[in-house]
Amino acid sequence: MSSKLIPATPAFLDDGTPFSPAYDDIYHSAAGALAQAQHVFLRGNDLPQRWRARRLFTIVETGFGIGVNFLATWAAWREDPNRCERLAFVSIEKHPFRAGDLRALHARMVAHATLAPLAAQLADAWPVLTPGLHRLEFESSRVTLTLAFGDALALLPKLWLRADAFYLDGFSPAKNPDLWSPPVFKALARLAGEDATLATYTCAGHVRRALADAGFDCTRADGFASKRTMLIGRFAPRWRLRRHEPPQPFAAVERHAIVVGAGLAGCALVERLAARGWHVTLVERRARAGCEASGNPAGVFHPLLSRDDSLASQITRTGFLYALARWRALERAGHAFARSRGGLLQIADDDEHARALGAAIAERGYPPELVQAMSAAQARDAAGAPVARGGWLYPEGGSLDPAALCSALCNEASEALSWRAGVQAQRIERQDNAWAVFDEQDACIARASIVIFANAHDATRLAGLRHAPTRIVRGQLTCLPLPAAPALRLPIIGEGYAVPLTHALLTGATYDIDDAGDDLRAESHAENLTRLAGLLPGLDPAIAARELALGNLAGRVAFRCVTPDRLPMIGALADEAASARQASTLSGAWPRDLPRAGGLYGSFAFGSRGLVWASLGAELIASQLEGEPWPLERDLAEALDPARYLLRALRQGIVVAGEA
């Protein structure tokens, strides 16, 4: 369960140095934030020299503060002609500033001509202040900033990455002892790559001893300004400290991947891999992208609130915010996919539901940019029509055209994408160091080191998975002509949903489990209209009934793929045969213990949340392939692991040694 995030309060000493009232300490030396960042953290970690000729260089910082260390590092990366291809910066901050406060602080502090435009980009990209991880991208995604908002003691064990350098920059050990404690340093050691370095302004004896106990060999160096000495170090453990090594990039023979399925999941993968320099062959049984559930006239997107802030809520919130960032980048690049503005309104199921979630919003301090509780009167004014009761407005929620989004994602990939449309992937086969995908005539469609299954319910068949249960859900939509429908100002959800289109009101969808019928049904239209009337009491039932009786209702049937726990399958696939052979030793296994099917990944079973999960799922898989920091906490990623059902079966003794 996430805790309430308390933003930082801007304050200054008489000389203008930014100051934290909560910790009674300054954010940087009075001698200058940029100079301190360059001396202590860049030179202390031998940067930029150490990142040269590297594909990826990852830095972990404890204490983001005002962000000057990140800005200085980003500026140094830009100015270095021999820079690494990709720079990943991960920073933890318990009390982040609000975007407006950060912008004002930068205006006072960042007068340097090189840093000022970077500071403006950072403020423009600054995320909604919610707990957890936020992935920001700059320089065409070549520079990533992963902000971890919350307590370091809770968040550090949930990060999954391989760090090349550490910036230890919390408030002083005397003012913020938790951030300089042995548990923090041990958590950093679990993330340290070979010969990872660290730098910090403090030389406190207990800090040096705790770092040594965690495996860091530290020495004193010349300090900055009035501080005579500082501490630099290198990860050099004298004994094994960890059970699992930090992640490495997948050893691909060539940067070529096959993606099966051109819905939202597959097209998001195409764009995320292409942004990293991969070539992608996209295999789709239909003639174009977005023909299955992604071909619906519109889809809605919004966070998921729950009283206990469940795993599903946390994953959906992260996915929602990341998707918004990716869509804005696409729109800046000139792509359009009919994304609505003005928010999305959720109608509470009943008065108890409204009270409970209203209390949860207040208790967790969710900012109004994410969600706003609304009375019935406020909801009616927002919707522009009578509504059943109050609920919540998601200011950044809304609707868009999923097929147009699929096209935008593929177009953004440009020449990195090769299309194989109108082809059914029938089977896969391992050939030397690559995988081959064959069609129904047993002709090879494509061959690559990586195959990613984004083909919904057919993924488990094609991948040969026995322990990845999915089911199909038939969903019929109804288009109610505008003369018969209330004129809504924004999309509405609740028991069903209503999306205003130019020519109709889109409503639905039915939820028919294990129903493979693709026929339009009058009873399904009637079911959709009944739910719509429950949301919009101003709907004239006689008019709706007449339209139904006259057969004037258009609609569409599509099929969703769901898992028993209603979470998607995202990540590396397990080697089920190898796991069966080792069943006796894997009965108490954790996800990282399982053997994996080298080069096989999945991104499917998104149910009705493809819009908010597809981008995050693609970023997670791309990060796994590249050995980059994961874009969400490890426990959340493990909840999405396609091997989670195999893991449960092993723990329950259902998988026996020798099972084929």
Side-chain angles (χ1 to χ4, degrees):
M1 184 186 300
S2 64
S3 57
K4 184 175 182 178
L5 198 65
I6 301 175
T9 302
F12 300 89
L13 298 180
D14 292 341
D15 63 1
T17 302
F19 173 79
S20 169
Y23 290 94
D24 190 29
D25 201 359
I26 57 176
Y27 278 97
H28 64 77
S29 168
L34 176 59
Q36 176 179 291
Q38 292 171 330
H39 180 93
V40 176
F41 298 108
L42 275 89
R43 293 176 199 156
N45 280 287
D46 195 22
L47 299 176
Q49 288 79 8
R50 287 184 56 237
W51 67 38
R52 289 174 177 164
R54 297 277 296 271
R55 172 161 177 80
L56 171 69
F57 195 87
T58 301
I59 298 168
V60 174
E61 177 185 52
T62 56
F64 186 79
I66 300 167
V68 176
N69 293 339
F70 167 67
L71 293 172
T73 304
W74 181 7
W77 179 88
R78 296 186 89 205
E79 293 167 0
D80 184 2
N82 300 311
R83 59 183 174 254
C84 51
E85 289 183 43
R86 298 181 63 80
L87 176 66
F89 198 102
V90 180
S91 188
I92 297 176
E93 180 54 61
K94 187 175 184 179
H95 300 295
F97 285 101
R98 296 180 177 89
D101 292 335
L102 189 70
R103 201 182 297 274
L105 285 161
H106 287 166
R108 292 184 58 154
M109 295 172 45
V110 185
H112 194 279
T114 301
L115 289 195
L118 305 187
Q121 289 186 55
L122 174 61
D124 288 343
W126 196 245
V128 174
L129 297 192
T130 56
L133 270 58
H134 301 263
R135 175 69 57 88
L136 280 60
E137 299 174 9
F138 307 96
E139 307 287 350
S140 299
S141 298
R142 290 178 296 162
V143 173
T144 62
L145 170 61
T146 305
L147 292 165
F149 288 161
D151 191 287
L153 288 169
L155 280 171
L156 273 172
K158 296 181 178 183
L159 299 180
W160 196 227
L161 54 88
R162 176 177 289 266
D164 298 297
F166 295 99
Y167 293 1
L168 306 187
D169 192 30
F171 294 113
S172 73
K175 302 294 179 67
N176 188 17
D178 286 348
L179 203 54
W180 303 91
S181 62
V184 166
F185 298 149
K186 289 178 180 177
L188 295 178
R190 286 192 288 270
L191 303 175
E194 185 177 354
D195 292 328
T197 61
L198 68 82
T200 180
Y201 56 82
T202 185
C203 271
H206 72 281
V207 169
R208 184 175 179 178
R209 290 188 294 272
L211 284 168
D213 290 342
F216 293 93
D217 182 15
C218 298
T219 57
R220 290 185 175 89
D222 291 340
F224 174 72
S226 61
K227 288 187 68 67
R228 292 180 55 191
T229 58
M230 55 179 266
L231 209 60
I232 60 174
R234 185 173 298 275
F235 185 62
R238 295 183 294 274
W239 53 84
R240 186 178 180 185
L241 298 173
R242 52 204 183 191
R243 178 176 175 181
H244 297 282
E245 289 298 305
Q248 293 271 30
F250 183 86
V253 176
E254 59 177 336
R255 305 175 70 74
H256 176 206
I258 300 169
V259 173
V260 183
L264 285 167
C267 295
L269 282 160
V270 167
E271 188 275 331
R272 289 289 74 204
L273 290 173
R276 290 164 167 86
W278 284 70
H279 179 78
V280 183
T281 299
L282 183 58
V283 180
E284 167 56 44
R285 68 189 184 100
R286 300 294 190 101
R288 56 180 176 79
C291 286
E292 304 287 350
S294 300
N296 286 340
V300 294
F301 55 90
H302 56 89
L304 173 66
L305 297 185
S306 60
R307 302 181 192 191
D308 60 351
D309 199 31
S310 64
L311 285 175
S313 294
Q314 295 174 54
I315 294 165
T316 302
R317 182 170 63 240
T318 302
F320 169 74
L321 295 173
Y322 182 71
L324 286 175
R326 293 306 317 142
W327 298 341
R328 289 169 184 147
L330 288 170
E331 289 164 342
R332 287 194 297 270
H335 302 288
F337 32 89
R339 184 162 70 97
S340 69
R341 303 299 194 270
L344 176 144
L345 180 64
Q346 179 177 359
I347 304 301
D349 296 343
D350 50 43
D351 292 341
E352 173 56 28
H353 184 215
R355 282 193 296 269
L357 285 192
I361 292 170
E363 179 184 345
R364 295 191 174 85
Y366 291 141
E369 306 97 296
L370 181 74
V371 60
Q372 301 168 20
M374 289 199 143
S375 66
Q378 290 171 324
R380 181 190 63 237
D381 291 343
V387 293
R389 60 191 67 84
W392 311 272
L393 175 71
Y394 301 111
E396 296 292 344
S399 64
L400 58 76
D401 181 340
L405 175 58
C406 288
S407 295
L409 292 163
C410 291
N411 290 338
E412 184 67 11
S414 188
E415 295 179 358
L417 170 62
S418 295
W419 257 100
R420 292 303 308 273
V423 178
Q424 172 69 55
Q426 186 62 25
R427 68 179 184 92
I428 61 171
E429 180 182 295
R430 185 71 174 173
Q431 295 180 350
D432 298 326
N433 293 322
W435 291 95
V437 179
F438 294 85
D439 66 15
E440 292 177 300
Q441 286 72 45
D442 215 33
C444 183
I445 303 170
R447 192 173 180 274
S449 300
I450 303 294
V451 177
I452 309 174
F453 303 96
N455 50 332
H457 189 62
D458 197 40
T460 55
R461 177 201 64 81
L462 185 59
L465 299 176
R466 299 181 59 182
H467 297 281
T470 62
R471 303 173 75 177
I472 62 167
V473 177
R474 176 186 179 274
Q476 180 172 318
L477 294 170
T478 299
C479 286
L480 186 62
L482 287 183
L488 294 180
R489 293 177 182 153
L490 77 178
I492 292 179
I493 64 169
E495 286 294 324
Y497 62 82
V499 178
L501 304 177
T502 57
H503 62 287
L505 187 67
L506 182 69
T507 187
T510 60
Y511 197 88
D512 310 316
I513 297 178
D514 299 329
D515 186 337
D518 61 0
D519 55 315
L520 280 174
R521 302 170 188 171
E523 59 268 28
S524 294
H525 283 318
E527 180 183 335
N528 287 336
L529 293 176
T530 298
R531 280 201 301 268
L532 180 62
L535 293 173
L536 303 173
L539 177 68
D540 189 331
I543 295 177
R546 184 193 66 201
E547 296 294 326
L548 178 60
L550 293 175
N552 290 341
L553 299 181
R556 188 175 191 271
V557 174
F559 299 93
R560 291 158 281 180
C561 174
V562 299
T563 58
D565 61 11
R566 297 301 188 266
L567 291 175
M569 301 283 201
I570 302 174
L573 302 187
D575 185 331
E576 293 190 346
S579 298
R581 290 192 295 271
Q582 303 172 41
S584 60
T585 60
L586 293 174
S587 59
W590 293 94
R592 284 175 290 171
D593 298 321
L594 291 181
R596 299 289 171 161
L600 298 184
Y601 293 76
S603 184
F604 58 94
F606 286 8
S608 58
R609 300 191 185 278
L611 283 173
V612 293
W613 284 342
S615 295
L616 180 64
E619 180 69 7
L620 175 58
I621 289 177
S623 299
Q624 291 173 341
L625 286 171
E626 291 286 313
E628 297 175 7
W630 288 9
L632 75 170
E633 297 91 324
R634 200 178 69 219
D635 59 328
L636 302 186
E638 289 175 351
L640 308 178
D641 192 333
R644 62 187 184 270
Y645 289 98
L646 171 63
L647 195 65
R648 294 172 197 174
L650 287 164
R651 290 173 178 171
Q652 295 166 4
I654 297 173
V655 179
V656 297
E659 178 182 303

